[in-house]
Amino acid sequence: MTLTKAELADLLFEQVGLNKREAKDMVEGFFEEIRTALERGDSVKLSGFGNFQLRDKPQRPGRNPKTGEEIPITARRVVTFHASQKLKAAVEQLSDASKQP
Amino acid sequence: MTKSELIAQLAERFPQLVAKDADYAVKMILDAMTDALARGDRIEIRGFGSFALNYRPPRTGRNPKSGEKVLVPEKYVPHFKAGKELRERVDLGGS
């Protein structure tokens, strides 16, 4: 099973009592607000879940794995996610093989 | 941006809803995401990214204070991979 926006919207429809349109827009809005904050250069801290942070990576040498040709990997800004202690603890116990992802 | 700021932004975005709905919705979304990962499920949000679990095999570590060897059991750790749209928007925002 994979959790997607559709399941999240269903949940808001069933549990929060939003109508289908509102539930879908709320889920879209949730992720859009996070994207907008990150795009602005803000980090996003969701207590109990985790933090989305930005890292500025300098240019580094790279290689086209097919041709072996050297091409620089340009400097870029990337998003990193750090799970909260609570989220880490929630997934840590998942050690029995039957539940292996 | 914190969780309460995110809730305030969403409440502003949906003036037809009561503020409590945004609060409840955010908590419900985060709980559902936590539960999915705790079950071993993946999360895939198109345009945002995916969350999955990475396996960490058991290893022997050391208690840094006493130098004593301790067995660190296997575990899973959450991993996020940014989706294309998020990756591109964040990178452009930085330039």
Side-chain angles (χ1 to χ4, degrees):
Chain A
M1 254 293 290
T2 302
L3 183 68
T4 64
K5 284 191 280 199
E7 278 87 53
L8 290 172
D10 284 347
L11 205 67
L12 296 187
F13 170 69
E14 288 159 18
Q15 311 273 326
V16 187
L18 306 185
N19 69 37
K20 295 244 178 188
R21 176 87 240 164
E22 290 165 343
K24 189 166 176 272
D25 290 350
M26 181 64 83
V27 170
E28 194 52 56
F30 173 89
F31 292 106
E32 180 53 28
E33 291 293 346
I34 298 175
R35 279 193 296 250
T36 304
L38 292 168
E39 186 176 23
R40 269 201 311 269
D42 278 1
S43 59
V44 176
K45 299 183 177 190
L46 303 175
S47 74
F49 186 73
N51 297 344
F52 294 93
Q53 280 160 339
L54 297 163
R55 278 180 85 110
D56 287 310
K57 310 250 254 182
Q59 179 179 314
R60 61 191 168 90
R63 217 175 255 288
N64 179 331
K66 247 188 205 145
T67 62
E69 188 192 353
E70 260 195 68
I71 347 170
I73 296 169
T74 53
R76 60 192 63 194
R77 176 172 281 182
V78 298
V79 181
T80 58
F81 174 71
H82 301 274
S84 70
Q85 284 308 319
K86 188 184 159 210
L87 178 57
K88 282 185 192 165
V91 307
E92 216 166 86
Q93 292 97 332
L94 246 190
S95 51
D96 61 287
S98 63
K99 285 182 176 171
Q100 210 155 327
Chain B
M1 181 169 77
T2 61
K3 184 155 63 179
S4 46
E5 285 162 355
L6 171 61
I7 292 167
Q9 290 287 327
L10 287 170
E12 224 174 274
R13 205 184 245 259
F14 299 96
Q16 78 280 18
L17 300 179
V18 288
K20 204 165 60 65
D21 287 341
D23 182 82
Y24 196 25
V26 165
K27 284 174 184 156
M28 183 126 298
I29 291 171
L30 292 174
D31 282 350
M33 291 171 73
T34 302
D35 292 348
L37 292 171
R39 277 196 308 271
D41 286 350
R42 284 169 53 81
I43 305 170
E44 277 181 26
I45 308 295
R46 187 68 55 86
F48 184 78
S50 61
F51 296 84
L53 298 180
N54 281 349
Y55 176 68
R56 295 276 184 272
R59 61 188 176 85
T60 43
R62 260 176 209 284
N63 178 330
K65 248 192 203 141
S66 62
E68 202 184 335
K69 274 190 187 175
V70 281
L71 180 73
V72 182
E74 62 168 2
K75 64 175 179 183
Y76 288 94
V77 294
H79 178 74
F80 173 70
K81 184 167 186 286
K84 186 162 184 275
E85 185 192 339
L86 178 59
R87 229 168 34 230
E88 289 175 354
R89 283 175 60 182
V90 158
D91 196 27
L92 287 175
S95 61

